[in-house]
Structures are given as C-alpha cells and as structure tokens.
Amino acid sequence: MEFADAVRARHSYRGFTSRQVDGKTLKQVFELASWAPSNCNVQPWHVHVLSGDACDRMREKMKAAASAEVAFNPDFPWQGKFSGDYKERQICSALGLWEHQGVTRDNPAKRAWSWMRNFEFFDAPHIAFIFVTDEFPELVRLAGDVGMYAQTLMLAMTDAGIGSCPQTSVSCYPDLVREELGIDSHYKLMMGLSFGYIDEADSANNLRTERDSLEKTTSFHS
Ligand SMILES: Cc1cc2nc3c(=O)[nH]c(=O)nc-3n(C[C@H](O)[C@H](O)[C@H](O)COP(=O)(O)O)c2cc1C
C-alpha cells in the first residue's frame, strides 16, 4: 500500500468478523510497530495481545463489569469532557457514530448499547492492551510515545488489511486486565486496541470522520 493511501484508509472500525489474524501476520505488524520513535528511544510500551479464548475471557469479564456498572478505576484520569471547538468535534463524532449504528440521541437504551459495544470489543477476535510502567515522572511525554507506537501499529495493520479501533474505554477497568494477564500494578494501562478483519455488513464501519482544514490547525513560518 502507498503510505498516503494507508493513512487515509485507516479509520476506527467498530464491527469485526470472528476470523482470526494468523500468527505470522500478527508478529509482523507488531514488529513493524516497534519501530515507532520515542523520547531517548526508551520504548516505554509493554504490549499484551489477546486472541481466541484469552480475548473471549477478557471480553466476558469486561462486559460483566460494564453491565453491572462497576465504577471505572482508570490508571490515568479520564473524564472525556471537552469545551469549545473540541466539544463540537466530540459531539460531531458521537452523533456520526450513532447515526451509523442506528442510535438516536433520545433513546437511552440504544445509547447504552452503543457504549457497551466498546466492552464487547466490537466482536473483534483480538485485543491489544498497551501498558507503561509507573516509573516515569513525565507522563505527558510518555503518552506521546504511546501515541507514536499506537498510530504506527494501526498503520501497519491497515497495510496488512486489518481494521482496528483504539480505545480509552477499555482502559477504565485496568485491574480486570491485570488480573486476567497475571501482571502486577506496577504496569499501568494506557489504552486498548480491538482489531481484526472488519465486518463489511456492519454499518458502524461506514462512519467517516472529518478533519479541520490545514489553515485552522497549522501555521507555516519562514
Ligand atoms: C487514544 C484514543 C482513544 C480512543 N478511544 C475510543 C473508545 O474508547 N471508543 C471508541 O469507539 N473510539 C475511540 N477512539 C476513536 C476515536 O473516536 C476516533 O479516532 C476519532 O473519532 C477519529 O475517527 P477515525 O479514527 O475513524 O479517523 C479513540 C481514539 C484514540 C486516538
């Protein structure tokens, strides 16, 4: 795939088939992602990839917690509250998704279903969890490194014909994830990434988001 095509073909996909990505391809995309840059090349990411039964067990635990409305306990604060232009973009993004999922704003049950899709991993046969350790004092810069890694990973997946959805939502139950993986609380969960082959029949996958113009976001100086 041409680079620009891969960038434009990556979208957040929210509906997957049960077909698993084979082990060789999995290793190829995660190896490619490891070439992402990071501050001083510290490569702070610790990545766990769950497939098959491991993914299903995690999904069932997350669904049970979310259905029982177990309180979120994210390792990194998350409120999802924005203002001004940012709020407008957030609303636009939610309304766009709901439209493609057949959800209306005045239907709380359908809105709850849309939110619950996160904890079902959108039916994906795989989920990756990206952790960092608690020894980094400069959290904001660390998050930048993880972002570099995550986008490189998603582009590598796009190039391999694999769809993905980055998710803050699933990072709100870090204890469940650590328990399932058998890792200690020294590892902090930054985000999840559901991935697999996209379900073409799922209308949620037809969502295409907009971007502001270059004039609004970027100044060139000479
Ligand atoms: C760090 C991060 C966390 C995100 N968390 C979620 C999430 O929990 N659930 C979800 O459906 N989408 C999530 N998204 C996807 C965004 O909504 C999406 O990237 C944005 O609307 C732009 O759409 P696009 O990815 O299709 O270009 C997340 C994206 C990022 C980068």
Side-chain angles (χ1 to χ4, degrees):
M1 217 174 184
E2 290 294 323
F3 175 72
D5 293 338
V7 172
R8 291 185 196 282
R10 187 218 54 83
H11 303 287
S12 293
Y13 289 105
R14 299 180 179 87
F16 297 89
T17 69
S18 57
R19 181 184 155 210
Q20 288 200 28
V21 178
D22 68 80
K24 186 172 166 218
T25 308
L26 268 186
K27 287 200 174 142
Q28 276 170 352
V29 293
F30 281 90
E31 197 279 333
L32 200 50
S34 73
W35 289 96
S38 55
N39 275 287
C40 302
N41 198 25
V42 293
Q43 306 162 61
W45 42 80
H46 296 261
V47 186
H48 290 259
V49 185
L50 283 67
S51 306
D53 290 347
C55 181
D56 287 339
R57 272 197 309 275
M58 192 68 258
R59 187 187 342 260
E60 289 313 312
K61 286 189 177 178
M62 282 255 178
K63 272 166 57 178
S67 305
E69 296 185 16
V70 172
F72 289 158
N73 184 26
D75 291 331
F76 303 102
W78 178 63
Q79 289 209 317
K81 290 206 164 64
F82 301 97
S83 56
D85 279 359
Y86 308 115
K87 172 112 191 142
E88 257 174 52
R89 290 174 194 154
Q90 180 189 28
I91 291 172
C92 217
S93 142
L95 292 179
L97 176 59
W98 289 345
E99 186 189 334
H100 286 84
Q101 287 178 324
V103 174
T104 50
R105 212 173 178 171
D106 58 1
N107 188 332
K110 289 286 272 180
R111 280 189 354 232
W113 166 84
S114 170
W115 178 233
M116 184 58 78
R117 291 290 288 148
N118 277 284
F119 303 99
E120 296 171 350
F121 311 159
F122 307 108
D123 304 328
H126 309 274
I127 187 161
F129 289 105
I130 308 177
F131 292 85
V132 292
T133 57
D134 58 9
E135 66 213 85
F136 292 89
E138 296 163 340
L139 248 187
V140 178
R141 300 192 190 283
L142 185 66
D145 291 345
V146 171
M148 302 269 167
Y149 174 86
Q151 171 72 339
T152 309
L153 177 61
M154 291 188 284
L155 291 179
M157 287 181 173
T158 303
D159 188 47
I162 300 165
S164 63
C165 186
Q167 289 173 269
T168 295
S169 46
V170 295
S171 73
C172 291
Y173 290 126
D175 296 323
L176 277 186
V177 182
R178 278 189 286 266
E179 183 188 274
E180 178 65 22
L181 297 174
I183 58 175
D184 65 54
S185 58
H186 169 64
Y187 292 93
K188 302 295 180 193
L189 182 56
M190 188 74 87
M191 61 186 286
L193 187 85
S194 295
F195 68 93
Y197 295 103
I198 69 165
D199 180 357
E200 303 283 354
D202 189 328
S203 56
N205 288 332
N206 297 331
L207 171 65
R208 295 294 174 265
T209 53
E210 302 286 324
R211 295 295 186 269
D212 267 9
S213 65
L214 201 58
E215 288 70 31
K216 197 158 177 195
T217 62
T218 313
S219 306
F220 296 91
H221 305 265
S222 55

